[in-house]
Amino acid sequence: MMTVVSVLIFTGALGAAIATIAMMIAPQWRRILYLATGHVEPAFTPLATLAVAERRIAVRRWSAGSPPHVVLHRRRAAA
């Protein structure tokens, strides 16, 4: 009887472990196969993307420009 209970417990634990591993691998299986076949993932560079976006914003602000009276009004409000 104790042997049957032990087998059932370990079978359940094995099933839970396999299910957990499958749930972790299933969403990434394409990426895993892509890397396993020798392809290299492109580097993740969030700072480079951020720098490009900040340059775009700066250029838009510069190109939009402000009329001189708006700049003068902002300086007076800041003082």
Side-chain angles (χ1 to χ4, degrees):
M1 181 68 180
M2 191 63 152
T3 306
V4 173
V5 172
S6 297
V7 169
L8 289 175
I9 289 174
F10 282 109
T11 304
L14 178 66
I18 290 173
T20 302
I21 291 171
M23 287 183 348
M24 294 298 126
I25 291 177
Q28 299 289 331
W29 70 271
R30 286 186 181 161
R31 183 176 174 214
I32 292 168
L33 287 178
Y34 184 76
L35 294 172
T37 56
H39 296 90
V40 179
E41 233 177 18
F44 180 62
T45 56
L47 293 179
T49 306
L50 180 63
V52 170
E54 286 180 350
R55 268 189 246 121
R56 269 193 232 129
I57 291 169
V59 167
R60 286 182 190 152
R61 286 182 183 163
W62 176 80
S63 66
S66 294
H69 67 279
V70 173
V71 174
L72 184 60
H73 178 66
R74 286 184 189 160
R75 287 184 185 158
R76 287 183 186 160

